[in-house]
């Protein structure tokens, strides 16, 4: 099937697999984090595949946007956190322009959450603790390093990765100095609930000097 025809054949929020729950913004909490935690738990309970993955958008030194899918490592009063090597493309971009946006999409519930704000790098002790709390595979990948560099062949990747796996199993507490935990402190958080009649509910939180302001947005 041609791409055009394939696209036209697809449907959004098939009622056989998607439940669009009602969302009353009047009942939403005064701050976004409790609502995010509630929606995240709902996504897990609904069987959403990998609900902790998110799109991370950054921009380079020339202001050109970039985006990729990464994993959420945590969310608390200090911000929404993720991790990468400081020398990776996103690490370099964040060093040049320390501002980013996150996007979560949970299609099983027709929900999105968008987060924007400045990004800071956590202390090295926090970054290493985050890494060593994860799986052996995560440590092996971090030890492999060279993220975003040009790769000469898949054979080279297999060799270096095998060495990294062996070291990760042999030294589970080995430090990876370039591994960095980043925290995005939200200035805006938008909650989007899809609606079958396309009357989508969008609740936006904005950080102000007086605290969080809430506003509805047109779909």
């Amino acid at each position: 099937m041609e791409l055009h025809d394939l696209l036209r054949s697809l449907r959004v929020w098939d009622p056989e697999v998607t439940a669009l729950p009602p969302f009353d913004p009047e009942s939403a909490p005064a701050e976004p984090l409790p609502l995010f935690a509630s929606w995240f738990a709902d996504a897990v309970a609904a069987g959403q595949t990998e609900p902790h993955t998110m799109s991370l958008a950054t921009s380079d030194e020339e202001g050109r946007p970039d985006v990729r899918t990464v994993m959420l490592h945590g969310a608390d009063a200090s911000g929404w956190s993720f991790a990468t090597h400081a020398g990776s493309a996103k690490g370099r971009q964040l060093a040049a322009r320390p501002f980013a946006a996150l996007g979560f999409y949970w299609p099983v519930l027709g929900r999105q959450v968008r987060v924007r704000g400045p990004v800071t790098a956590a202390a090295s002790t926090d970054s290493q603790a985050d890494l060593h709390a994860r799986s052996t595979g995560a440590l092996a990948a971090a030890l492999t390093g060279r993220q975003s560099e040009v790769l000469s062949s898949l054979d080279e990747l297999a060799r270096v990765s095998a060495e990294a796996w062996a070291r990760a199993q042999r030294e589970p507490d080995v430090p990876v100095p370039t591994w960095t935990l980043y925290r995005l402190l939200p200035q805006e958080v938008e909650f989007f609930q899809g609606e079958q009649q396309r009357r989508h509910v969008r609740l936006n939180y904005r950080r102000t000097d007086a605290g969080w302001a809430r506003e509805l947005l047109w779909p």
Side-chain angles (χ1 to χ4, degrees):
M1 184 179 291
E2 295 293 334
L3 177 60
H4 177 274
D5 295 330
L6 181 59
L7 286 169
R8 295 301 178 270
S9 71
L10 299 175
R11 294 295 177 264
V12 176
W13 303 330
D14 183 341
E16 293 187 5
V17 296
T18 305
L20 297 178
F23 173 43
D24 178 11
E26 294 296 327
S27 65
E31 298 187 356
L33 185 57
L35 184 55
F36 176 81
S38 176
W39 276 28
F40 185 84
D42 289 346
V44 173
Q48 177 63 59
T49 303
E50 299 179 353
H52 55 323
T53 57
M54 61 187 184
S55 298
L56 167 65
T58 56
S59 57
D60 63 17
E61 295 87 343
E62 299 177 12
R64 296 175 299 183
D66 202 353
V67 67
R68 74 290 287 166
T69 301
V70 299
M71 184 182 299
L72 177 70
H73 285 214
D76 54 28
S78 64
W80 270 252
S81 59
F82 57 92
T84 188
H85 289 284
S88 68
K90 50 188 173 294
R92 297 193 306 271
Q93 290 167 2
L94 288 169
R97 292 175 177 263
F99 198 93
L102 308 176
F104 297 86
Y105 180 43
W106 300 314
V108 69
L109 295 172
R111 285 177 170 174
Q112 299 181 55
V113 179
R114 300 168 60 215
V115 188
R116 295 200 301 166
V119 178
T120 57
S124 176
T125 52
D126 291 342
S127 297
Q128 296 305 303
D130 170 79
L131 175 61
H132 294 118
R134 301 180 67 203
S135 66
T136 300
L139 177 58
L143 286 168
T144 300
R146 307 186 191 184
Q147 193 173 52
S148 301
E149 295 181 14
V150 175
L151 175 66
S152 63
S153 70
L154 293 180
D155 288 340
E156 182 186 18
L157 172 60
R159 176 181 58 78
V160 174
S161 177
E163 294 171 355
W165 270 90
R167 188 178 183 190
Q169 292 168 331
R170 185 175 65 249
E171 304 174 57
D173 296 322
V174 61
V176 182
T178 59
W179 188 256
T180 305
L181 182 69
Y182 293 92
R183 295 191 175 102
L184 185 156
L185 186 65
Q187 292 180 336
E188 292 184 66
V189 184
E190 181 196 325
F191 294 84
F192 172 104
Q193 173 62 67
E195 199 271 339
Q196 199 66 46
Q197 302 297 320
R198 299 303 192 263
R199 293 189 286 265
H200 313 311
V201 179
R202 296 176 62 189
L203 175 63
N204 191 54
Y205 288 81
R206 285 187 299 105
R207 190 186 294 272
T208 71
D209 292 340
W212 287 100
R214 298 188 307 172
E215 58 198 2
L216 293 174
L217 304 176
W218 279 87

